[in-house]
Amino acid sequence: SRAYSLVDSSQVSTFLISILLIVYGSFRSLNMDFENQDKEKDNSSAAGSFNGNSTNNSIQTIDSTQALFLPIGASVSLLVMFFFFDSVQVVFTICTAVLATIAFAFLLLPMCQYLTRPCSPQNKISFGCCGRFTAAELLSFSLSVMLVLIWVLTGHWLLMDALAMGLCVAMIAFVRLPSLKVSCLLLSGLLIYDVFWVFFSAYIFNSNVMVKVATQPADNPLDVLSRKLHLGPNVGRDVPRLSLPGKLVFPSSTGSHFSMLGIGDIVMPGLLLCFVLRYDNYKKQANSDSCGAPGPGNISGRMQKVSYFHCTLIGYFVGLLTATVASRIHRAAQPALLYLVPFTLLPLLIMAYLKGDLRRMWSEPFHSKSSSSRFLEV
């Protein structure tokens, strides 16, 4: 078919990796909620409560004001990178490397916990003012630092993708959307942001601002350090320029081009997927407590069994496929959120309306309830 001919191996890799990152990040987020709830039960004799706003200080919940101003802040950051990239590229590269190190350590942590479980107790080791860490946390951080150093030395796209994956999972796991209202505000604003900077920025700035910032490589910090310290022409001068891990890239089967997807096109829909997964779990617990009470009479039982998470995930895949086909047809960069936002939000809104959950999901969907929870295996 025509659509199939417009999708090559690099696009297929992008599809699969982005969906796996969203699913994994969403379940890590849900498990973090369960862990926080169990800690609250251990630290207090009062009954624990399940709600959308975790008491964990490391978790950030986006409110309506932040959702409205996030596209504006992103636009300002984009303009700073466009006009002053040469001045801020080293600082930006170092900050990105530090964040990517922490995020990739978070991505590796479950694997390291599994590896160290048979031979090491879970007792934390004190490092003075730096804090206390388990053996698994130290191992995951060490591996992450090693990977970042190799990436700085080689600039390989596969290592950059690994760091971008860590950033995606960490952002999906640690950022929360509290309601469908905030989700709609955030995604609608980012859709306008994406469309403007991809389609209309060239008319104002004589260049596609989004594409230029996303594809512009930065000077390697080792090269900059070598020149600043006058270490000689053969010290630190043969390191490559770095393509920053703000995107996933995969080469085509012929090696003639790379397929690229920004991490924002994974994280922002991923936050919506995380929200609906938490709501599915909340509703399942509520129905269990009410002894399996049936849903609204105007919806069949089969429809009630369809989860919001699976519906929205399918919409994400279809939207990503549509964006890819559109980019190949027009032979130009496409704002992925132009396709992802309608294909994820509209099916979710329609299903919530048909199930009778739209009003509850729109504002403060997670009310206090006392229930037991168990961990999900990811």
Side-chain angles (χ1 to χ4, degrees):
S1 64
R2 175 66 174 168
Y4 179 79
S5 65
L6 293 173
V7 180
D8 59 20
S9 59
S10 61
Q11 272 88 35
V12 173
S13 301
T14 304
F15 294 165
L16 296 177
I17 293 298
S18 61
I19 289 175
L20 287 175
L21 291 175
I22 288 176
V23 172
Y24 182 70
S26 299
F27 276 87
R28 286 288 297 272
S29 174
L30 190 61
N31 270 340
M32 288 171 63
D33 281 342
F34 289 158
E35 289 174 354
N36 294 331
Q37 183 182 0
D38 288 345
K39 287 179 181 178
E40 290 175 1
K41 290 181 179 179
D42 292 339
N43 296 333
S44 175
S45 58
S49 62
F50 183 92
N51 51 58
N53 299 325
S54 172
T55 57
N56 193 328
N57 293 329
S58 62
I59 294 176
Q60 175 65 42
T61 300
I62 299 177
D63 57 26
S64 299
T65 303
Q66 292 170 332
L68 288 172
F69 281 95
L70 186 59
I72 299 175
S75 299
V76 173
S77 301
L78 199 64
L79 285 176
V80 170
M81 293 297 296
F82 180 73
F83 286 112
F84 307 106
F85 184 80
D86 291 338
S87 302
V88 302
Q89 59 177 323
V90 176
V91 175
F92 188 73
T93 302
I94 294 174
C95 292
T96 303
V98 172
L99 291 176
T101 302
I102 299 172
F104 194 72
F106 174 76
L107 180 65
L108 292 177
L109 183 58
M111 181 191 70
C112 294
Q113 288 174 334
Y114 177 80
L115 293 176
T116 59
R117 187 179 302 167
C119 56
S120 174
Q122 295 302 310
N123 298 330
K124 292 189 175 184
I125 305 172
S126 177
F127 284 84
C129 61
C130 296
R132 298 169 58 85
F133 306 94
T134 63
E137 291 170 342
L138 294 174
L139 176 60
S140 65
F141 184 75
S142 301
L143 293 175
S144 183
V145 171
M146 186 183 305
L147 183 136
V148 171
L149 290 177
I150 297 174
W151 167 67
V152 170
L153 292 173
T154 64
H156 199 278
W157 65 268
L158 194 58
L159 301 179
M160 183 197 71
D161 279 359
L163 297 178
M165 292 176 195
L167 288 171
C168 288
V169 171
M171 292 176 69
I172 293 173
F174 284 99
V175 180
R176 299 284 193 275
L177 293 176
S179 65
L180 190 55
K181 174 184 175 181
V182 175
S183 303
C184 290
L185 288 175
L186 177 64
L187 292 177
S188 299
L190 290 173
L191 185 153
I192 298 172
Y193 155 85
D194 210 13
V195 169
F196 174 80
W197 289 111
V198 173
F199 284 155
F200 300 105
S201 60
Y203 297 104
I204 302 175
F205 303 99
N206 297 320
S207 177
N208 191 318
V209 176
M210 181 74 77
V211 173
K212 184 175 181 180
V213 171
T215 57
Q216 189 168 4
D219 288 340
N220 196 302
L222 295 181
D223 183 28
V224 175
L225 184 63
S226 174
R227 285 189 274 109
K228 292 290 185 182
L229 298 179
H230 306 287
L231 297 180
N234 297 324
V235 181
R237 298 299 179 86
D238 57 346
V239 291
R241 302 191 75 192
L242 298 176
S243 183
L244 301 181
K247 54 191 175 293
L248 291 179
V249 295
F250 291 94
S252 63
S253 55
T254 61
S256 58
H257 67 276
F258 278 80
S259 173
M260 183 176 67
L261 182 67
I263 64 172
D265 301 324
I266 301 174
V267 171
M268 295 308 163
L271 295 179
L272 178 66
L273 268 293
C274 179
F275 165 75
V276 296
L277 178 64
R278 288 162 51 229
Y279 184 80
D280 282 333
N281 179 74
Y282 163 79
K283 189 176 179 181
K284 182 179 179 181
Q285 291 184 0
N287 290 340
S288 176
D289 291 346
S290 60
C291 301
N298 59 335
I299 297 297
S300 65
R302 182 174 299 178
M303 182 68 174
Q304 284 292 336
K305 293 180 181 179
V306 178
S307 70
Y308 292 112
F309 181 77
H310 292 133
C311 173
T312 312
L313 187 62
I314 293 172
Y316 176 82
F317 175 80
V318 175
L320 194 59
L321 178 63
T322 306
T324 302
V325 172
S327 67
R328 297 296 292 273
I329 291 176
H330 298 287
R331 298 185 181 277
Q334 296 289 310
L337 292 180
L338 175 63
Y339 307 93
L340 295 175
V341 171
F343 277 101
T344 53
L345 269 184
L346 291 180
L348 174 60
L349 291 171
I350 293 173
M351 177 173 283
Y353 175 78
L354 294 176
K355 285 188 174 185
D357 293 332
L358 182 57
R359 180 171 297 182
R360 177 183 296 177
M361 294 179 70
W362 186 255
S363 179
E364 300 297 333
F366 306 108
H367 66 268
S368 298
K369 71 188 290 292
S370 176
S371 63
S372 60
S373 61
R374 62 180 181 181
F375 288 94
L376 297 179
E377 292 294 334
V378 180

